[in-house]
C-alpha cells in the first residue's frame, strides 16, 4: 500500500492554515493506482452480504460507484442539502466550526437492506457517522464502511465503533 501513499499528494495549509490536505486526484489519474484502489476495496467486501453501495458527495461519488459496479450492486447517493429531487431524509451534523446537512432519498433503501458506505477519507468521522445514522433511520443495516485513507490521529473510527471500518492506507 506504500505505492498508494506515493500517489496521494499532500497539500499543506489547504483549505486553511494547519490542515494537511490529502489530495487523491493524483492517485485517480494514475491508471494502475486507480485500478488498485477499486480492486482492493472490492476484495475487502467480496464475501460481505451487501444489497447496495452508498457514496457521499462529492469525492465518494468517484469511488463508490466504481466499487458498486465491480461488486455487481447498485449505487445510492447521499448529497448536500436541496440537491435530491424526491422525498428526502436529512441529518444535520457537527463540523469543526458550525454544522452541515446531508440528505438521502427516502426510497433509496428498503428496510433490512445491507448498505456498504464508501468514501475517500476518514478524518474526524463526523460525516461517516452521520451517514450511518441516515442509513439506520431508513431501517437499513450498515454492512461496513470503506475508505481509501484514514487519518488515525483524528480517531474517527471511534465514532463508528459499532460498525466494521476498513481503510486501505493510514496516516
Ligand atoms: P470527517 O467528517 O472529518 O471525517 O471528514 C469529512 C470529509 O472531509 C471526508 O470525507 C473527506 O472527503 C474530507 N476531508 C477531511 N479532512 C481531510 C483531509 N485532511 N484531506 C482530504 N480530505 C479531507
Amino acid at each position: 500500500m506504500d505505492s498508494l501513499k506515493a500517489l496521494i499528494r499532500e497539500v499543506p495549509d489547504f483549505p486553511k492554515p494547519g490542515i494537511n490536505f490529502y489530495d487523491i486526484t493524483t492517485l485517480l489519474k494514475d491508471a494502475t493506482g486507480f485500478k488498485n484502489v477499486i480492486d482492493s476495496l472490492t476484495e475487502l467486501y467480496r464475501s460481505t452480504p451487501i444489497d447496495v453501495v452508498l457514496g457521499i458527495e462529492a469525492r465518494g461519488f468517484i469511488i463508490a460507484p466504481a466499487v458498486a459496479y465491480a461488486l455487481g450492486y447498485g449505487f445510492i447517493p447521499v448529497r448536500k442539502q436541496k440537491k435530491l429531487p424526491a422525498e428526502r431524509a436529512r441529518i444535520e451534523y457537527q463540523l469543526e466550526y458550525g454544522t452541515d446537512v446531508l440528505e438521502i432519498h427516502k426510497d433509496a433503501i428498503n428496510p433490512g437492506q445491507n448498505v456498504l458506505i464508501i468514501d475517500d477519507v476518514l478524518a474526524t468521522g463526523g460525516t461517516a457517522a452521520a451517514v450511518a445514522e441516515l442509513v439506520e433511520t431508513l431501517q437499513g443495516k450498515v454492512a461496513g464502511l470503506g475508505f481509501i485513507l484514514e487519518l488515525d490521529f483524528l480517531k474517527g473510527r471511534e465514532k463508528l465503533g459499532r460498525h466494521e471500518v476498513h481503510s486501505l492506507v493510514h496516516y
Side-chain angles (χ1 to χ4, degrees):
M1 287 300 155
D2 280 351
S3 59
L4 281 189
K5 271 195 176 177
L7 291 169
I8 295 167
R9 173 163 56 196
E10 294 184 41
V11 184
D13 300 319
F14 182 88
K16 56 186 177 191
I19 302 287
N20 195 39
F21 191 87
Y22 293 84
D23 174 22
I24 60 163
T25 64
T26 41
L27 167 63
L28 296 172
K29 73 173 181 180
D30 184 280
T32 307
F34 184 47
K35 185 172 190 324
N36 191 357
V37 162
I38 302 305
D39 288 351
S40 301
L41 285 170
T42 301
E43 277 321 304
L44 284 174
Y45 297 105
R46 192 144 316 271
S47 51
T48 303
I50 293 166
D51 296 299
V52 70
V53 179
L54 180 156
I56 307 164
E57 187 174 7
R59 271 162 289 153
F61 285 7
I62 303 167
I63 309 298
V67 173
Y69 178 82
L71 286 170
Y73 303 117
F75 165 75
I76 54 180
V78 163
R79 298 206 63 181
K80 319 247 163 153
Q81 66 181 332
K82 297 186 181 150
K83 301 280 187 188
L84 291 168
E87 209 184 335
R88 296 164 297 271
R90 78 197 295 271
I91 189 161
E92 192 170 327
Y93 65 103
Q94 209 62 39
L95 293 176
E96 198 179 347
Y97 302 106
T99 60
D100 211 347
V101 173
L102 287 171
E103 295 184 334
I104 189 170
H105 275 146
K106 274 194 177 163
D107 62 0
I109 298 168
N110 298 325
Q113 276 194 318
N114 296 302
V115 181
L116 173 63
I117 298 170
I118 298 285
D119 204 4
D120 62 337
V121 176
L122 176 58
T124 66
T127 306
V131 171
E133 206 179 316
L134 261 186
V135 168
E136 288 173 342
T137 300
L138 298 182
Q139 293 169 56
K141 295 186 199 140
V142 177
L145 298 106
F147 303 89
I148 299 177
L149 69 100
E150 177 170 348
L151 307 182
D152 293 347
F153 54 93
L154 292 175
K155 300 188 174 21
R157 194 173 272 262
E158 289 178 6
K159 287 207 184 82
L160 306 168
R162 291 181 297 124
H163 306 298
E164 198 167 321
V165 179
H166 289 296
S167 304
L168 299 180
V169 291
H170 294 260
Y171 289 86

